[in-house]
Amino acid sequence: MTLKALIFDVDGTLAATEELHRRAFNQMFADYDLDWHWDQTLYRRLLGVTGGKERIASYLNEIGYPADGGLRGQIPEMHAKKTGYYAGYVTSGALELRPGVVRLMREAVAENIAIAIATTTSIANVRALLDTNFPTDLVEALKIIGAGDMVENKKPAPDVYKLVVEKLTVEPGECLAFEDSRNGLLSAISAGIPTLITPDTYTDDHDFTGAISVASDLGEPGAPYSYISGQGEGHEFVSIAMLKEFQV
Ligand code: XBP
Ligand code: MG
């Protein structure tokens, strides 16, 4: 394929962030004296709704919270508090990037292939991860970031990918998306972008039908990824050369 841009999801793809999101939600609930606690099993299911504000609203519906109850109007404020906790965990160094992320991004930049981000998470969370975990050359190279409320409809809607592709001034078929979840995959492929999946611990039971390739991670020289399905078998790590061989 002709490859002009790599577009990365954030949560679950660049790093295993969801456990920190879960903790931040729970910490925020305690501030509101709510006896809610999202355990890992419940959170895995709640991830079916992308976006933190949307996830809180959907939970209120699920527990039968009244449509005119006071908390409904407080969701933006609750979510801002949660974002503060989450960004604080990230900047304190709680995360590591997944294998191969920095290596592949650097390889792309060296080959004049654009790198960009398309995520449902809040821009403050993206900035915290970039500032804390990314080398400055890549932060500077990541010029296009589609995040959070920049679009009307979050994943699985194609909006955020469409926005990023438009800003990159490339065709969707000249890009590859990197995702970890079913909703992310649906978002990218409905924008017309072939998608490689590296499942996260919170998304490893998702249906990845429609992905061009599924691998345990992007791999590193000496630390090979495990091939799961689709194209890309027989490589040690995901490289630009391997991606260009994809038949789309
Ligand atoms: C990630 C999400 C996000 C985070 C929370 O999905 O669904 O909502 O869980 O982020 P994806 P905010 O990786 O598919 O983009 O609370 O900032 O919304
Ligand atoms: Mg994700």
Side-chain angles (χ1 to χ4, degrees):
M1 67 179 292
T2 307
L3 196 54
K4 292 197 178 162
L6 308 185
I7 309 175
F8 292 84
D9 167 50
V10 173
D11 293 306
T13 299
L14 298 183
T17 56
E18 287 301 354
E19 186 55 17
L20 294 186
H21 281 295
R22 186 183 74 83
R23 282 187 214 162
F25 280 112
N26 285 329
Q27 195 171 349
M28 175 273 289
F29 295 149
D31 288 345
Y32 284 81
D33 291 326
L34 296 164
D35 62 353
W36 304 345
H37 179 81
W38 290 356
D39 65 22
Q40 293 182 343
T41 309
L42 173 61
Y43 193 65
R44 190 176 255 272
R45 185 166 58 73
L46 295 177
L47 281 175
V49 174
T50 62
K53 292 189 286 291
E54 293 79 357
R55 192 167 299 141
I56 296 167
S58 143
Y59 183 70
L60 289 173
N61 294 341
E62 192 173 310
I63 61 172
Y65 188 80
D68 57 355
L71 281 179
R72 300 258 181 201
Q74 290 186 69
I75 292 176
E77 175 200 300
M78 293 167 83
H79 184 252
K81 226 176 214 302
K82 175 260 166 181
T83 300
Y85 287 132
Y86 174 83
Y89 302 153
V90 174
T91 50
S92 72
L95 289 174
E96 271 176 35
L97 296 177
R98 293 191 64 187
V101 167
V102 167
R103 175 192 54 72
L104 183 64
M105 284 186 176
R106 281 208 166 119
E107 205 189 323
V109 172
E111 297 206 22
N112 225 5
I113 293 168
I115 53 171
I117 280 178
T119 177
T120 61
T121 205
S122 307
I123 188 70
N125 300 341
V126 182
R127 287 256 73 100
L129 188 70
L130 292 180
D131 293 346
T132 310
N133 292 84
F134 275 76
T136 37
D137 59 306
L138 287 184
V139 177
E140 280 161 21
L142 274 164
K143 288 207 170 54
I144 311 284
I145 298 177
D149 297 323
M150 288 179 194
V151 290
E152 196 173 331
N153 304 299
K154 291 187 178 161
K155 299 174 186 176
D159 302 28
V160 70
Y161 276 101
K162 284 186 168 170
L163 176 78
V164 170
V165 165
E166 196 182 300
K167 288 193 176 176
L168 286 168
T169 61
V170 292
E171 293 301 319
E174 298 169 334
C175 304
L176 257 178
F178 294 80
E179 278 286 353
D180 69 300
S181 70
R182 176 78 186 152
N183 280 330
L185 171 65
L186 290 175
S187 173
I189 61 178
S190 51
I193 306 171
T195 305
L196 184 151
I197 297 284
T198 50
D200 175 54
T201 47
Y202 267 105
T203 59
D204 51 9
D205 60 344
H206 288 194
D207 174 5
F208 295 123
T209 306
I212 196 159
S213 178
V214 185
S216 59
D217 54 76
L218 298 176
E220 294 282 19
Y225 67 80
S226 302
Y227 167 85
I228 299 174
S229 63
Q231 300 181 42
E233 195 170 7
H235 293 264
E236 187 184 7
F237 53 89
V238 174
S239 64
I240 297 296
M242 166 186 154
L243 299 177
K244 282 181 172 170
E245 280 169 23
F246 281 175
Q247 304 291 316
V248 294

Coordinates of all heavy atoms in Angstrom, one line a residue, residues 9-13 18 155 179-181, ligand 2:
D9 N -4.5 5.6 17.9 CA -5.4 5.7 19.1 C -4.5 5.9 20.3 O -3.3 5.6 20.3 CB -6.2 4.4 19.2 CG -6.9 4.3 20.6 OD1 -7.6 5.3 21.0 OD2 -6.8 3.3 21.2
V10 N -5.0 6.4 21.4 CA -4.2 6.6 22.7 C -4.5 5.4 23.7 O -3.6 4.6 23.9 CB -4.5 8.0 23.3 CG1 -3.8 8.1 24.6 CG2 -4.0 9.0 22.3
D11 N -5.7 5.5 24.2 CA -6.0 4.5 25.3 C -5.9 3.1 24.9 O -6.6 2.7 24.0 CB -7.4 4.8 25.9 CG -7.4 6.2 26.6 OD1 -6.5 6.4 27.5 OD2 -8.2 7.0 26.3
G12 N -5.0 2.3 25.5 CA -4.9 0.9 25.2 C -3.9 0.7 24.1 O -3.4 -0.4 23.9
T13 N -3.7 1.6 23.2 CA -2.8 1.4 22.0 C -1.4 2.0 22.3 O -0.4 1.3 22.1 CB -3.4 2.1 20.8 OG1 -4.7 1.5 20.6 CG2 -2.6 2.0 19.6
E18 N -6.2 2.3 30.7 CA -7.6 2.2 31.2 C -7.7 1.9 32.7 O -8.6 2.4 33.4 CB -8.4 1.2 30.4 CG -8.8 1.6 29.0 CD -9.6 2.9 29.0 OE1 -10.0 3.4 30.0 OE2 -9.9 3.4 27.9
K155 N -15.9 7.7 19.0 CA -15.9 6.3 18.4 C -17.0 5.5 19.0 O -17.3 5.7 20.2 CB -14.5 5.7 18.8 CG -13.3 6.4 18.2 CD -12.0 5.8 18.8 CE -10.8 6.6 18.3 NZ -9.6 6.1 18.9
E179 N -5.1 0.6 16.6 CA -6.2 0.6 17.6 C -6.1 -0.6 18.5 O -5.4 -1.6 18.2 CB -7.6 0.6 16.9 CG -8.1 1.9 16.4 CD -8.6 2.8 17.5 OE1 -8.7 2.3 18.7 OE2 -8.9 4.0 17.3
D180 N -6.8 -0.6 19.6 CA -6.8 -1.7 20.5 C -8.2 -2.3 20.8 O -8.4 -3.3 21.5 CB -6.2 -1.4 21.8 CG -7.1 -0.4 22.6 OD1 -7.4 0.7 22.1 OD2 -7.6 -0.8 23.7
S181 N -9.3 -1.6 20.3 CA -10.6 -2.0 20.7 C -11.6 -2.1 19.5 O -11.3 -1.6 18.4 CB -11.2 -0.9 21.6 OG -11.5 0.3 20.9
Ligands
MG2 MG -8.2 2.5 22.6

